[in-house]
Amino acid sequence: MTRFAQYLPILDWGRRYDRAALGADLLAAVIVTIMLIPQSLAYALLAGLPPEAGIYASIAPILLYAIFGTSRALAVGPVAVVSLLTASAVGQVADQGTAGYAVAALTLAALSGAFLLLLGVFRLGFLANFLSHPVIAGFITASGILIAVSQLKHVLGVEAQGHTLIEIGGSLLAHLGDANLPTLVIGVTATAFLFWVRKGLKPALGRIGLPPLAADIATKAGPVAAVVVTTLAVWELELEAQGVAVVGAVPQGLPPLTLPSFAPDLIAALALPAILISIIGFVESISVAQTLAAKKRQRIDPNQELIGLGAANLGAAFSGGYPVTGGFARSVVNDDAGARTPAAGAFTAVGLAVAAMALTPLVFHLPTATLAATIIVAVLGLIDLTILHKTWNYSRADFTAVAATIALTLLLGVEVGVASGVVISVLLHLYKTSRPHVAEVGRVTGTEHFRNVLRHEVDTDPRVVTLRVDESLYFVNARFLEDLIQSRVTAGSQIRHVVLMFSAVNEVDYSALESLEAINARLRDMGVGLHLSEVKGPVMDRLKRSHLIENLNGRVFLSQHDAWTALTDRTRRQPSRMES
């Protein structure tokens, strides 16, 4: 049972499921379902798909994640950033509104699901760590700006094209004179109302004595109220005849059985976007899941999360949806509403299925301006320009990465932005580790502690130089250490010993080993001994398999204090070569 539960977490929490958990999960499902109905329709609009695709993408994926996922509160489905990435990727291979566009979206979901499953099965979740948090924050901020600006065409009731901020902004300005007044009134009113709902409705309901739970449900139902009121307004006033765009006919029923395309050309065109969507979606999802789990001291298995999200995306591909991931807003709502197990997500899927069968005819007159308002209000919470100020103050390298990611995303589009984000993250890591922090240290008087000579009053000996290496050594930074030692030794004619303090070194790869051998040979020619101290066991095990230790022009010391005592006391008995 334990082995199966590792891959099917439902077997773990399911056997402990009780009536109390059922009640809590049902209540959470009701609240999240109310929130998801307009949100799912809106995100499908953002992805360039029919509105029902958003509902379909929120049913089978949620059920599959409940079986394979490990988070008790994560709510899986369409999200703003992934919807935008979907529109960008699919728009390059098919025209919006065609059958080929929908098939391409299904194929994108299938490829994303397969890639996530592959990562999960081979336990490669660590690869997502190569996308740094500042770069992710920069990309999401830029995407939020692009999404909000792209929806202004629906608020204005005009046609506007483009994938970059300049293209979209220029197109909007060119068509500004064609704005439809009834559409503008609906869009601006809905946006203002939804902003007020998010910030002011709950406190207002509390002041009139409504219980907190009822006030919370009413706040989450705000978008539904906007949908109902604007739909009735369009229907009663016959605003469709005045140019107000509406959702139109939405198929009534459960998600259909669909098949992605297996055409090699389409798969080749969508493979890279699918990988990028998978990485972005997984990073966003695992961040939310771990944050919510930490509050309740629960454990999230990143590799099993990959399997859960992979299954969810495959479910979307075979049920009329498009790529999905764990959403921040809906997951927080799910957690705040008291969800105890993934069953809350399954109950939410049931609620959405009921809506798909019974409520879709009611959204015929729903204005797209209201859905655009829903998207704008939702994504503005993603925009965090303070990340620029924070990274500027903390790390100029991180600031450069954030600023570059934001600029490239806004100016060249989301695909270039996310691809550049991955490249910048890797380059930033390589840059930082290529110049490891190496401190020259001395002994704190009267102790066995050694600290940076530039920061502390310490004892030093002109014949002995101790360098504390604060980074693992590998091919990127090995030459840096060579140059540093060469420069330091040539600058001090009295130097007779160089000690490399390896207390922070966790790895020495073969390139670094060759550099250490070169340093050893060079120092021997100069009449200077090379010594190692505080070498960790796994590192020493590997060094012993080489010729470095037996050819070392010095010794290996168990502690830096031992090295200091031996090398600064000429009357001390010469110890054996290996002291560790």
Side-chain angles (χ1 to χ4, degrees):
M1 175 67 76
T2 303
R3 184 173 181 82
F4 281 110
Q6 179 182 353
Y7 298 101
L8 292 171
I10 190 174
L11 298 179
D12 179 36
W13 60 262
R15 59 191 173 88
R16 296 192 301 270
Y17 203 67
D18 55 23
R19 184 172 297 180
L22 174 63
D25 287 343
L26 283 172
L27 177 60
V30 170
I31 295 174
V32 175
T33 300
I34 292 172
M35 173 187 177
L36 281 187
I37 291 174
Q39 197 177 78
S40 298
L41 297 172
Y43 288 154
L45 175 71
L46 176 60
L49 291 162
E52 65 270 16
I55 298 290
Y56 296 161
S58 300
I59 297 177
I62 297 178
L63 291 172
L64 287 167
Y65 180 82
I67 296 172
F68 295 100
T70 60
S71 173
R72 305 294 177 92
L74 191 69
V76 173
V79 300
V81 173
V82 171
S83 297
L84 178 65
L85 288 168
T86 298
S88 176
V90 176
Q92 296 184 20
V93 298
D95 294 327
Q96 188 172 323
T98 64
Y101 191 96
V103 171
L106 297 174
T107 306
L108 189 64
L111 291 173
S112 179
F115 180 69
L116 288 166
L117 276 178
L118 187 67
L119 291 181
V121 169
F122 289 98
R123 308 187 71 78
L124 299 175
F126 70 90
L127 292 176
N129 296 334
F130 285 97
L131 206 57
S132 72
H133 178 266
V135 168
I136 285 286
F139 172 73
I140 291 178
T141 291
S143 296
I145 295 172
L146 278 179
I147 291 169
V149 172
S150 72
Q151 295 309 296
L152 291 178
K153 64 182 180 182
H154 298 296
V155 174
L156 295 171
V158 300
E159 292 292 331
Q161 304 297 325
H163 297 288
T164 69
L165 186 61
I166 294 176
E167 291 174 353
I168 298 171
S171 185
L172 285 172
L173 289 174
H175 293 87
L176 198 57
D178 301 329
N180 181 274
L181 183 58
T183 300
L184 181 61
V185 171
I186 291 172
V188 171
T189 303
T191 302
F193 171 74
L194 291 174
F195 267 118
W196 176 76
V197 165
R198 292 186 68 180
K199 301 294 184 181
L201 179 58
K202 191 172 182 178
L205 294 175
R207 285 193 294 269
I208 64 175
L210 200 66
L213 179 59
D216 192 52
I217 294 176
T219 301
K220 301 300 186 298
V224 176
V227 166
V228 171
V229 172
T230 55
T231 300
L232 289 174
V234 170
W235 177 56
E236 284 287 345
L237 301 177
E238 299 181 349
L239 296 179
E240 189 178 353
Q242 298 181 39
V244 175
V246 298
V247 169
V250 177
Q252 189 174 3
L254 293 174
L257 178 63
T258 54
L259 286 175
S261 173
F262 297 98
D265 291 345
L266 182 60
I267 291 175
L270 294 177
L272 181 58
I275 292 173
L276 296 176
I277 286 174
S278 300
I279 294 173
I280 290 292
F282 173 65
V283 170
E284 179 179 354
S285 179
I286 197 68
S287 299
V288 176
Q290 290 179 334
T291 299
L292 296 178
K295 292 166 54 179
K296 298 179 179 178
R297 298 191 178 186
Q298 296 170 348
R299 178 180 175 273
I300 298 297
D301 182 349
N303 291 302
Q304 185 60 34
E305 283 297 289
L306 285 166
I307 294 175
L309 292 174
N313 277 279
L314 288 177
F318 289 95
S319 60
Y322 64 99
V324 298
T325 191
F328 177 77
R330 71 185 65 174
S331 298
V332 171
V333 170
N334 195 37
D335 185 65
D336 290 343
R340 294 192 184 181
T341 72
F347 296 143
T348 299
V350 173
L352 291 171
V354 171
M357 290 188 293
L359 302 180
T360 48
L362 302 180
V363 300
F364 184 95
H365 296 286
L366 171 61
T368 55
T370 301
L371 296 180
T374 301
I375 293 173
I376 291 172
V377 173
V379 302
L380 287 183
L382 301 176
I383 300 173
D384 179 20
L385 293 175
T386 63
I387 190 69
L388 292 170
H389 175 70
K390 293 174 183 175
T391 52
W392 175 264
N393 289 334
Y394 187 76
S395 167
R396 299 300 165 85
D398 284 330
F399 168 80
T400 302
V402 172
T405 302
I406 291 176
L408 290 171
T409 301
L410 292 177
L411 298 178
L412 299 179
V414 290
E415 285 196 336
V416 173
V418 68
S420 64
V422 174
V423 173
I424 289 171
S425 293
V426 174
L427 291 178
L428 184 61
H429 170 73
L430 294 176
Y431 171 75
K432 288 180 177 179
T433 57
S434 70
R435 301 178 62 83
H437 182 260
V438 179
E440 183 170 340
V441 299
R443 187 183 67 171
V444 178
T445 304
T447 73
E448 296 183 5
H449 300 290
F450 290 78
R451 294 292 184 267
N452 193 326
V453 299
L454 300 179
R455 294 177 179 270
H456 302 273
E457 291 290 337
V458 293
D459 299 331
T460 60
D461 186 318
R463 297 165 302 166
V464 180
V465 172
T466 298
L467 300 175
R468 189 189 67 220
V469 183
D470 293 335
E471 183 75 57
S472 290
L473 296 176
Y474 68 121
F475 66 95
V476 172
N477 59 25
R479 185 57 186 265
F480 175 83
L481 184 62
E482 280 191 60
D483 295 340
L484 181 67
I485 293 175
Q486 179 73 15
S487 175
R488 180 65 182 88
V489 171
T490 55
S493 59
Q494 300 182 57
I495 295 174
R496 292 294 176 264
H497 302 282
V498 172
V499 182
L500 295 182
M501 188 175 172
F502 269 23
S503 54
V505 176
N506 298 314
E507 176 74 19
V508 175
D509 76 355
Y510 192 77
S511 296
L513 171 66
E514 290 185 327
S515 288
L516 290 174
E517 291 174 338
I519 292 169
N520 184 54
R522 192 171 301 147
L523 291 180
R524 178 187 292 111
D525 294 340
M526 298 171 68
V528 176
L530 176 64
H531 312 271
L532 305 179
S533 72
E534 302 191 8
V535 184
K536 294 183 176 180
V539 176
M540 179 56 71
D541 291 341
R542 181 164 292 183
L543 293 179
K544 286 179 178 179
R545 295 200 294 269
S546 71
H547 295 291
L548 175 67
I549 299 302
E550 63 185 62
N551 295 329
L552 192 66
N553 182 37
R555 310 165 206 155
V556 179
F557 294 94
L558 181 64
S559 70
Q560 179 56 34
H561 177 70
D562 290 344
W564 171 266
T565 303
L567 300 177
T568 59
D569 183 3
R570 286 178 291 182
T571 65
R572 179 177 171 84
R573 177 184 58 84
Q574 290 294 322
S576 61
R577 177 177 296 274
M578 295 297 298
E579 294 195 9
S580 65

